[in-house]
Amino acid sequence: MTMINRQLRLKTRPEGLVRRDDFELQEQAVPELKNGQCLVRVLYLSMDPTNRVWMSDIPQYMPPVAIGEVMRALGLGRVVASKSAHYAEGDLVQGLLGWQDYAVIDDRRRQDYVTLPSNLSVPLPTLLGACGFSGITAYYGLTDIAPVQPGETLVVSAAAGSVGSIAGQIGKLRGARVVGIAGGADKCRHLVDDLGFDAAVDYKADDWKQSLAEATPDGVHVNFENVGGPVMRAVLSRMVNGGRVALCGLIANYTSTNRPGDDYSIVIVKRLSVRGFLAFDYQDTAKAIQDLIGWVTSGRIKAEETIEHGLENAPLVLNKLFEGSHRGKLLLRVAKEA
Amino acid sequence: MTMINRQLRLKTRPEGLVRRDDFELQEQAVPELKNGQCLVRVLYLSMDPTNRVWMSDIPQYMPPVAIGEVMRALGLGRVVASKSAHYAEGDLVQGLLGWQDYAVIDDRRRQDYVTLPSNLSVPLPTLLGACGFSGITAYYGLTDIAPVQPGETLVVSAAAGSVGSIAGQIGKLRGARVVGIAGGADKCRHLVDDLGFDAAVDYKADDWKQSLAEATPDGVHVNFENVGGPVMRAVLSRMVNGGRVALCGLIANYTSTNRPGDDYSIVIVKRLSVRGFLAFDYQDTAKAIQDLIGWVTSGRIKAEETIEHGLENAPLVLNKLFEGSHRGKLLLRVAKEA
């Protein structure tokens, strides 16, 4: 029986939000495996702001996705066939699977994939979210890039999102006062009532800069920054001298061709340390994943996912990241296991 | 005999370059000293880009100079009378003396001043330049903020200026490949031929970005940044992953009301560490000054000053910093010792 693989290939580079027509849905037979390869059924795809960057040709940390190429994306899948010594049928793998039903992993690229133990105590969506790259990003940002200390004030932007919600909770575990910035009163209530943030600021409210000032009476020691633009400027203006910024993302820029005029002056005025980072740079993430799984299992960190369905919907689902219409980790379920 | 003190007081906040009319020249009697005070004859004033920031009311690291206040400035002077237990007649002091002929130092503010030994082997202008805050700024930028290592490539902007020229030479002492960016072929020749830079890039030439690329074949490990704007963007685009930026100044911004649209994206893409700093933050600068004096005396670092004359000319002399029409440390001689 020939298995069909649906793939979304980049047709045109989007401007602003992504359109369905920027991608072409192709169907083709799953290729015959060669020795040293395995076939993975994609179960969930991770919808990340960085996907939007990869679609563009602005300077970035990996080559842009080429026109005609399958859209690059992190995902979680199950090995369904193997001619590899490293992967066995039934293995659960996480890594760059792409916007498609099936991915072939070649042993030579196995450093790009993590095989997860099968007896895990957390559900698959959480493995790809709070315990996957989103959680890992939050983890390294606050333990390695800008380690937050007990009693310090941490401000997290996009705090109701996949990375921000975990970053804020890790900040609480480390003993910091944690202030989240999010869009809308519901998200802000959620941060305080459900996730244990000390305060939340709704950047869509008129007086949000005043609220931010009131929520940070001692200034801001650490900023875990996901947004950029006016939100970042407001946070930087609240920082203490010598404050640290873990610069994780700039989602305000990704769909804009007219970039906001950021200004480095405040970095001198406040003697800030601003460090950009990528979770991909960390080679051995086993300890981070183990810690995250432990915190989720024990309930010390609450994981949350917004799950959408259908590979064909990937382009429009991705836009939810920029519209802010989701909470927690945004995932696309491509297939349901029997 | 009543001594007259001329003072330049801020009348209006300048827009763009400074106008003589932005200041009022007042003459008044030198005040009677109280116990715990000394009187300093100002000999040289240091003309620094930060003076221009202090005249404005943009966010900054000290309160702006108030309208009607004597213009704040670093200077070097001689104690000519003392009712202080800490200062004796004849002492040489460096610190915030201001745009005036005489300054009164109160013991309660003596942490803002350094008393220099009188048997120094370098001339007074060099004490205020290469061995003063300009040199100290270069020193800490490359030893504490972004320590450059042997074999690394260091790029210094405004490299023919007071801080940049010393930063580049310290980079050479530390074994780095040093590339300077300056305006004009003469300055660039000077950097390579006289100061020992490995290469220099004239940012006024059409093909300067290409020249920068050719001068940094292995990328840029450390950027000592004094300029900001397009120069900084070009350097950041050449940095290696994990590169470090000692963010010292953004002179391109200081006379502009329409700030250039900087963008933090490259900080993530290249995983950069960007650290703003101020030499004022270092409390004990004795070791730095001693090292700098040693290097200048032994000829390992060449100090250079452009000396202008006349307190009344201070506003227009300051503009030379933004016009790039000087080399090395820009000083104003207010009085000549007999």
Side-chain angles (χ1 to χ4, degrees):
Chain A
M1 190 186 78
T2 306
M3 289 195 296
I4 296 298
N5 187 20
R6 293 178 304 157
Q7 300 181 311
L8 279 165
R9 291 176 178 271
L10 184 62
K11 199 162 68 181
T12 49
R13 301 204 181 279
E15 297 193 6
L17 291 177
V18 183
R19 295 173 313 128
R20 204 184 273 273
D21 282 354
D22 292 324
F23 289 85
E24 180 146 17
L25 185 68
Q26 288 190 354
E27 300 196 356
Q28 52 182 76
V30 167
E32 195 75 18
L33 289 182
K34 299 183 185 128
N35 283 328
Q37 290 186 332
C38 75
L39 184 70
V40 176
R41 179 70 174 110
V42 180
L43 300 175
Y44 290 94
L45 288 170
S46 175
M47 300 276 113
D48 299 309
T50 194
N51 295 147
R52 180 64 187 79
V53 176
W54 293 341
M55 293 173 191
S56 77
D57 54 6
I58 62 171
Q60 50 194 286
Y61 60 92
M62 282 185 179
V65 173
I67 300 295
E69 199 179 347
V70 175
M71 179 57 204
R72 186 192 298 141
L74 280 170
L76 186 74
R78 186 76 71 182
V79 175
V80 291
S82 179
K83 290 187 175 178
S84 154
H86 300 283
Y87 297 99
E89 218 181 294
D91 278 357
L92 201 58
V93 296
Q94 182 175 301
L96 291 171
L97 299 179
W99 284 5
Q100 55 188 345
D101 285 318
Y102 292 92
V104 174
I105 300 181
D106 195 293
D107 281 351
R108 286 169 299 189
R109 297 204 48 200
R110 70 176 190 278
Q111 75 279 4
D112 293 342
Y113 300 89
V114 175
T115 305
L116 296 162
S118 55
N119 57 349
L120 287 168
S121 51
V122 298
L124 296 188
T126 305
L127 268 187
L128 191 55
C131 305
F133 271 99
S134 298
I136 292 169
T137 300
Y139 182 95
Y140 288 120
L142 292 177
T143 58
D144 184 48
I145 300 297
V148 68
Q149 305 301 327
E152 289 187 328
T153 296
L154 165 70
V155 171
V156 179
S157 58
S162 61
V163 176
S165 61
I166 307 301
Q169 293 180 83
I170 291 176
K172 288 305 299 175
L173 285 182
R174 291 179 64 95
R177 170 177 171 79
V178 177
V179 178
I181 302 179
D186 280 350
K187 284 184 181 174
C188 286
R189 255 192 307 274
H190 171 65
L191 293 178
V192 174
D193 293 348
D194 305 331
L195 302 188
F197 283 50
D198 295 285
V201 173
D202 175 6
Y203 74 85
K204 291 179 176 171
D206 285 340
D207 58 347
W208 69 276
K209 289 183 189 175
Q210 180 60 31
S211 303
L212 177 64
E214 285 164 9
T216 57
D218 301 327
V220 178
H221 301 86
V222 174
N223 173 29
F224 191 107
E225 185 56 44
N226 294 308
V227 172
V231 167
M232 180 173 175
R233 279 202 292 282
V235 177
L236 295 191
S237 78
R238 291 294 306 158
M239 293 200 79
V240 300
N241 288 346
R244 294 101 72 203
V245 179
L247 190 58
C248 174
L250 293 164
I251 197 168
N253 293 2
Y254 297 165
T255 54
S256 162
T257 44
N258 183 18
R259 297 301 184 83
D262 292 328
D263 181 349
Y264 286 92
S265 298
I266 193 81
V267 178
I268 301 180
V269 170
K270 302 266 188 178
R271 297 82 145 171
L272 302 180
S273 168
V274 181
R275 288 187 64 189
F277 73 108
L278 294 170
F280 284 118
D281 285 340
Y282 293 89
Q283 290 302 309
D284 183 6
T285 54
K287 166 79 162 63
I289 294 174
Q290 188 187 342
D291 282 352
L292 288 161
I293 289 175
W295 290 331
V296 168
T297 307
S298 67
R300 298 186 74 192
I301 280 187
K302 293 202 177 76
E304 188 174 24
E305 299 93 23
T306 299
I307 300 177
E308 300 288 338
H309 299 266
L311 177 66
E312 66 282 7
N313 298 321
L316 299 185
V317 170
L318 190 76
N319 285 337
K320 288 180 179 279
L321 293 170
F322 307 102
E323 296 159 349
S325 55
H326 74 295
R327 231 168 59 184
K329 180 71 191 177
L330 183 64
L331 296 176
L332 187 69
R333 193 165 78 186
V334 176
K336 190 169 163 47
E337 292 195 290
Chain B
M1 190 187 77
T2 306
M3 289 195 296
I4 295 298
N5 187 19
R6 294 178 304 157
Q7 300 180 312
L8 279 165
R9 291 176 178 271
L10 184 62
K11 198 162 68 182
T12 48
R13 301 206 181 277
E15 297 193 5
L17 292 176
V18 183
R19 295 172 313 127
R20 203 183 276 275
D21 282 354
D22 292 326
F23 290 85
E24 180 145 17
L25 185 68
Q26 289 191 354
E27 301 195 357
Q28 52 183 78
V30 167
E32 196 77 20
L33 288 182
K34 299 182 185 133
N35 283 329
Q37 290 185 333
C38 75
L39 184 69
V40 176
R41 180 69 174 110
V42 180
L43 301 174
Y44 289 94
L45 288 169
S46 175
M47 299 276 111
D48 299 309
T50 194
N51 295 148
R52 180 62 186 80
V53 176
W54 293 341
M55 294 173 190
S56 76
D57 54 7
I58 62 171
Q60 51 196 285
Y61 60 91
M62 283 183 178
V65 173
I67 299 295
E69 198 179 347
V70 175
M71 179 58 204
R72 187 191 298 141
L74 280 170
L76 186 75
R78 186 77 71 183
V79 175
V80 291
S82 179
K83 290 188 174 176
S84 154
H86 300 282
Y87 298 98
E89 218 181 294
D91 278 357
L92 200 57
V93 296
Q94 182 175 301
L96 291 171
L97 300 179
W99 284 5
Q100 54 187 345
D101 285 319
Y102 292 93
V104 173
I105 300 181
D106 195 293
D107 282 351
R108 287 170 297 188
R109 298 202 48 199
R110 69 176 190 277
Q111 75 280 3
D112 294 343
Y113 300 89
V114 176
T115 304
L116 297 163
S118 56
N119 58 348
L120 287 168
S121 52
V122 298
L124 296 187
T126 306
L127 268 187
L128 192 55
C131 305
F133 271 100
S134 298
I136 292 169
T137 299
Y139 183 95
Y140 287 119
L142 292 177
T143 58
D144 185 47
I145 299 296
V148 67
Q149 304 302 326
E152 289 188 329
T153 296
L154 164 69
V155 171
V156 180
S157 57
S162 61
V163 176
S165 61
I166 307 301
Q169 293 179 84
I170 291 176
K172 287 306 297 175
L173 285 182
R174 291 180 63 96
R177 171 177 171 79
V178 177
V179 178
I181 303 180
D186 279 351
K187 284 184 181 174
C188 286
R189 254 191 308 275
H190 171 63
L191 294 178
V192 174
D193 292 350
D194 304 332
L195 303 188
F197 283 49
D198 295 286
V201 173
D202 174 6
Y203 75 85
K204 292 180 176 170
D206 285 341
D207 58 348
W208 70 276
K209 289 183 189 174
Q210 179 61 27
S211 303
L212 177 64
E214 286 164 10
T216 57
D218 301 326
V220 177
H221 301 86
V222 173
N223 173 28
F224 191 106
E225 184 57 44
N226 293 308
V227 172
V231 167
M232 180 173 175
R233 280 202 292 281
V235 176
L236 295 191
S237 77
R238 290 294 304 158
M239 293 201 80
V240 301
N241 288 346
R244 294 101 71 203
V245 179
L247 191 59
C248 174
L250 293 164
I251 197 170
N253 294 3
Y254 297 164
T255 53
S256 163
T257 44
N258 183 17
R259 296 302 183 81
D262 293 328
D263 179 350
Y264 285 93
S265 297
I266 193 81
V267 178
I268 301 181
V269 170
K270 302 265 187 180
R271 298 81 145 172
L272 302 180
S273 167
V274 180
R275 287 187 63 189
F277 73 106
L278 294 171
F280 285 117
D281 286 339
Y282 293 89
Q283 291 300 310
D284 184 4
T285 55
K287 167 79 163 62
I289 294 174
Q290 189 187 342
D291 282 352
L292 289 161
I293 289 176
W295 291 330
V296 168
T297 307
S298 67
R300 298 186 75 193
I301 280 188
K302 292 202 178 75
E304 188 174 24
E305 299 92 23
T306 299
I307 300 177
E308 301 286 338
H309 299 267
L311 176 67
E312 65 282 7
N313 298 320
L316 300 185
V317 170
L318 190 76
N319 285 338
K320 288 177 179 282
L321 293 169
F322 307 101
E323 296 160 349
S325 55
H326 74 295
R327 230 167 60 183
K329 181 69 193 181
L330 182 64
L331 295 176
L332 187 68
R333 194 165 77 188
V334 176
K336 190 169 164 41
E337 293 194 291

